Amino acid sequence: MILLAVLFLCFISSYSASVKGHTTGLSLNNDRLYKLTYSTEVFVNQGKGKLQDSVGYRISSNVDVVLLWRNPDGDDDQLIQITIKDVNVENVNQKRGEKSIFKGKNPTKIVRKENLEALQRPVLLHLVHGKVKNFYSYENEPVAIQNIKRGLASLFQMQLSSGTTNEVDISGDCKVTYQGHQDKVIKVKALDSCKIERPGFTAINQVLGVTSKASSVTTYKIEDSFVIAVVAEETHAFGLNFLRTITGKIVSKQKLELKTTDAGPRLMSGKHVEAIIKAVDSKYKALPIEGQVFQSECKGCPSLSEHWQSIRKHLQPDNLSKAESVRNFLVFIQHLRTAKKDEILQLLKTENKDVLPQLVDTVTSAQTPDSLDAILDFLDFKSDSNVILQERFLYACGFASHPDEELLRALISKFKGSFASNDIRESVMIIIGALVRKLCQSDGCKLKGVVEAKKLILGGLEKAEKKEDIMMYLLALKNALLPEGIPLLLKYAETGEGPISHLATTALQRYDVPFITDEVRKTLNRIYHQNRKVHEKTVRTTAAAIILNNNPSYMEVKNILLSIGELPKEMNKYMLSTVQDILHFEMPASKMIRRVLKEMVAHNYDRFAKSGSSSAYTGYIGRTPHSASTYSLDILYSGSGILRRSNLNIFQYIGKSQLHGSQVVIEAQGLETLIAATPDEGEENLDSFAGLSVILFDVQLRPVTFFNGYSDLMSKMLSASSDPVSVVKALALLIDHSQEMQLQSGLKANIDIKGALAIDISGAMEFSLWYRESKTRVKNLLAVVIAGDITVDSSFVKAGLEISAETEASMEFISTVQFSQYPFLVCLQMDRAEAPYRQFETKYERLSTGKGYVLRKRKEMMVAGSEFPLHQENANMCKVVFPPQPESASTGGGWF
């Protein structure tokens, strides 16, 4: 210990700075050469993986530090020179043995000669009061190598006193907190506060987002009043909110330790540091201490065209229900994000019509300026020859994970032009609404493009005269959910004709609780109780649902309950079932309903014994402590037994965030004349109509019409088959998180998580006068892949973790009604078929020369199929009365 004290006598107020000294930070002694050892190592693994099972690498070296200049007017103004020597690169996992990618290779081969020379070239650091004022290096050095030197230089920045301040180092401009102790100084850096420009984006909806945590602690060890070592540890952990098995962790460590001091060069004299630097070497330039962006060169990577040719077979229409198609979709998106417009446009122009829709999905999902320019040049909205491609482009725009203003402006420009297809014109406006909402959720409501789109939607709705235009703008507003659009929605909900009133009411249903004000509630109560006008059942029941789902008052609940018994037969049953569903599922309104039910006038046998077949039911698809998936089905029939509306919803909840995964609504009206039945009140003059409307991942798509008008109905009944109508068929990118991080060691880390699905939603409605039977069928086919990739790159060696999960699933809903008698018989079935679930993990270490180490794991299981109850009074008699449906893997449901 005495020998150690003697050794450090020369190091007073030095890199081994005295805590009790007059300096505010580290200070070196004159005419001394400080010899240190330095190492930085990085570990990559799953979130709960053990450190010893990680992949990674260690870069170690000796370091020489000398004081070149000290300001004669102040000891705390210094210029120091830092030189890295004797570089070595090795595994962090010593168990690797013969499999080590570094075995038998010297540092020159690993790092490469030009990189090694740059790494060992000294840097100069200008410190004032212990903080970095300037970092000097050669300007033409490789950025990745300069970053490693920045990481080492940043360790020399510290202060001896406790307190919180902002510092600029390799991590950016960060908030740091110092804690001074007798034997150490601890610096805690708030990494989430660091301001540094890095490319990246994440999901707008947190259900599809990523939760991450980061920490950075640097300890300056002090012995006998001297700093003798610096130990830093930085950790980044992340997890996908939607699927907790997709996790990752990066641990980066640095260690700088004093070994000895020798006689060093004499101080250079002068008053100005600039003159000193010029005298040392005129090639030194002041560069930012913040880490700089670099891209590693991809050697031997295929061109865009070559890559496409290798995967296009997986994107044939017949293969879209397979997870392999989605996996290749994700990989090709990544390639497209580095491609130029001309390359992309050439692919689009040369592809055949079978695979072209999938290529359009992929190009649009890339969401880069070049991909947008290419797809807009390729599609001709004035031609009706590629309507399917235009529709697929618009779907992909609606599902965009991180849309920008340029995409919105492009669609606004297209809308103002001419169209060969009116359906496409409607879709453009509907998707404009979806983009407005997403941009507003990203704090972009004041962007000029968003302001213009708002005016286009609201102004168009105010001036619209044609029914088709009113419906189009209402659908756009249903996506945009603009608070300033609520007065217009109330107007159309209360005074509009049937379909318009219903659409306006369903748009109001999507607004959050704070927007359902007293004024909105008054209007909804007038609609439900028909104070000013007779409304269709679909409008009234939707109004009631909004009231009950948005903190209803005692009197609102009481009046709704008192109305049961005075309504048309099936509406009586529907409202009763809705109330019972709220109670059994313990929805927020259940407490208020129970209070009201204590009154005998509201809760009696006469009111709660109404017969009928309409129903409402909510259940869980799955539940965990942090998330829940729910489904709900409500079906409303006319008094004559014909389907009026079926509404199937799936929601995903994580914490306080929710995602409307899907809504499939089949609606029919004006069919009573076919069976010589009497229409219900308010529905005497409705045209014959049936159609299907879909919300997919919070985006309302353009509704599909089965038939419209009596003549159209009869022609389709005579020529129709039972083949389903495709509502949406597409590849959709839903999870899209890209994050580049500057580690304080100088290495670059990337976290990239993507999730996509191939989806095919189809619906059919069959109607038989002979058998007096109607049947509706909605089928969802899905292939889902979620893939995460974590890498830590030094430009000459890379370590990474790839983790993914995939499944192929189907869900089907069937409702069958026999209306030959009353009460008519109804069978409801919703089934999820058995589905495979596969999970993959790949860890790797790879040199830039190509040599690599790879470890792969795979887990596979079958998830059993499920039958979901759809009514409280389920008697499970569907199989008895109706033969089993061959399309369904299993049946579940009941007569009631």
Side-chain angles (χ1 to χ4, degrees), residues 371-553:
S371 64
L372 179 60
D373 288 345
I375 195 70
L376 289 175
D377 278 7
F378 175 70
L379 296 175
D380 181 7
F381 287 84
K382 297 177 182 178
S383 169
D384 59 0
S385 60
N386 58 1
V387 168
I388 292 177
L389 301 182
Q390 295 168 28
E391 193 92 64
R392 294 285 281 265
F393 162 70
L394 293 170
Y395 286 163
C397 289
F399 299 139
S401 54
H402 53 280
D404 59 15
E405 187 182 8
E406 289 307 309
L407 175 58
L408 179 60
R409 284 186 176 277
L411 292 189
I412 291 172
S413 175
K414 291 296 179 185
F415 182 77
K416 292 178 178 178
S418 56
F419 293 85
S421 166
N422 193 57
D423 287 349
I424 295 299
R425 177 176 177 269
E426 290 178 8
S427 289
V428 169
M429 175 48 61
I430 293 167
I431 299 304
I432 285 174
L435 294 180
V436 166
R437 185 186 183 202
K438 290 189 176 186
L439 288 167
C440 283
Q441 289 174 328
S442 303
D443 299 323
C445 250
K446 294 182 180 179
L447 294 171
K448 290 183 178 178
V450 176
V451 172
E452 183 181 355
K454 286 182 181 181
K455 291 179 179 177
L456 193 61
I457 295 170
L458 298 174
L461 187 54
E462 285 178 343
K463 298 173 184 177
E465 296 179 356
K466 295 180 181 178
K467 175 184 173 182
E468 294 77 10
D469 287 342
I470 294 172
M471 299 283 281
M472 175 183 69
Y473 287 113
L474 284 173
L475 286 165
L477 188 52
K478 187 175 179 180
N479 270 334
L481 296 181
L482 301 175
E484 54 267 48
I486 290 177
L488 281 172
L489 291 176
L490 293 176
K491 168 190 165 185
Y492 283 108
E494 189 166 21
T495 64
E497 59 178 277
I500 291 175
S501 176
H502 183 228
L503 179 54
T505 314
T506 60
L508 285 167
Q509 195 172 19
R510 299 196 69 204
Y511 281 83
D512 292 334
V513 174
F515 298 104
I516 307 302
T517 62
D518 289 342
E519 186 61 34
V520 175
R521 304 166 81 86
K522 287 177 183 177
T523 305
L524 294 171
N525 276 287
R526 287 198 301 268
I527 291 172
Y528 176 73
H529 295 290
Q530 302 189 117
N531 297 133
R532 295 183 178 176
K533 177 185 173 182
V534 174
H535 294 277
E536 296 178 25
K537 293 192 299 293
T538 53
V539 179
R540 296 179 68 190
T541 52
T542 303
I546 299 172
I547 295 167
L548 292 172
N549 289 329
N550 289 275
N551 301 325
S553 68

Side-chain angles (χ1 to χ4, degrees), residues 17-45:
S18 172
V19 174
K20 298 176 182 178
H22 67 282
T23 57
T24 54
L26 292 174
S27 178
L28 275 70
N29 233 9
N30 300 351
D31 309 335
R32 304 304 298 173
L33 168 63
Y34 301 95
K35 291 184 175 291
L36 308 100
T37 59
Y38 174 67
S39 66
T40 179
E41 54 189 11
V42 65
F43 303 81
V44 181
N45 205 348

Side-chain angles (χ1 to χ4, degrees), residues 311-424:
I311 69 165
R312 64 183 301 278
K313 63 180 179 291
H314 299 295
L315 297 178
Q316 293 284 347
D318 292 342
N319 294 330
L320 286 186
S321 60
K322 299 176 182 176
E324 185 69 19
S325 67
V326 186
R327 186 175 292 277
N328 282 282
F329 169 71
L330 290 176
V331 173
F332 197 60
I333 284 175
Q334 197 66 21
H335 199 157
L336 282 165
R337 285 178 171 169
T338 62
K340 299 298 182 185
K341 173 186 173 180
D342 291 342
E343 296 177 274
I344 301 171
L345 190 57
Q346 183 63 27
L347 273 188
L348 290 165
K349 287 180 176 179
T350 55
E351 191 48 76
N352 66 42
K353 64 179 182 179
D354 290 337
V355 185
L356 197 50
Q358 289 72 260
L359 181 56
V360 169
D361 290 339
T362 315
V363 170
T364 311
S365 298
Q367 300 174 73
T368 65
D370 284 278
S371 64
L372 179 60
D373 288 345
I375 195 70
L376 289 175
D377 278 7
F378 175 70
L379 296 175
D380 181 7
F381 287 84
K382 297 177 182 178
S383 169
D384 59 0
S385 60
N386 58 1
V387 168
I388 292 177
L389 301 182
Q390 295 168 28
E391 193 92 64
R392 294 285 281 265
F393 162 70
L394 293 170
Y395 286 163
C397 289
F399 299 139
S401 54
H402 53 280
D404 59 15
E405 187 182 8
E406 289 307 309
L407 175 58
L408 179 60
R409 284 186 176 277
L411 292 189
I412 291 172
S413 175
K414 291 296 179 185
F415 182 77
K416 292 178 178 178
S418 56
F419 293 85
S421 166
N422 193 57
D423 287 349
I424 295 299

Side-chain angles (χ1 to χ4, degrees), residues 804-867:
S804 63
E806 64 184 38
T807 188
E808 295 149 2
S810 68
M811 184 177 285
E812 187 171 29
F813 162 69
I814 303 171
S815 69
T816 308
V817 183
Q818 281 189 350
F819 47 87
S820 56
Q821 57 182 336
Y822 191 88
F824 35 85
L825 299 177
V826 179
C827 175
L828 305 179
Q829 301 160 260
M830 191 169 81
D831 313 291
R832 183 178 64 193
E834 184 181 51
Y837 175 81
R838 297 178 285 268
Q839 189 162 317
F840 306 90
E841 179 190 299
T842 302
K843 297 176 184 177
Y844 63 89
E845 297 161 352
R846 188 177 302 125
L847 293 173
S848 60
T849 55
K851 184 177 180 180
Y853 164 82
V854 180
L855 176 65
R856 292 186 174 91
K857 294 181 180 179
R858 173 188 175 121
K859 183 169 67 175
E860 187 169 354
M861 61 184 290
M862 292 299 294
V863 179
S866 301
E867 302 176 358

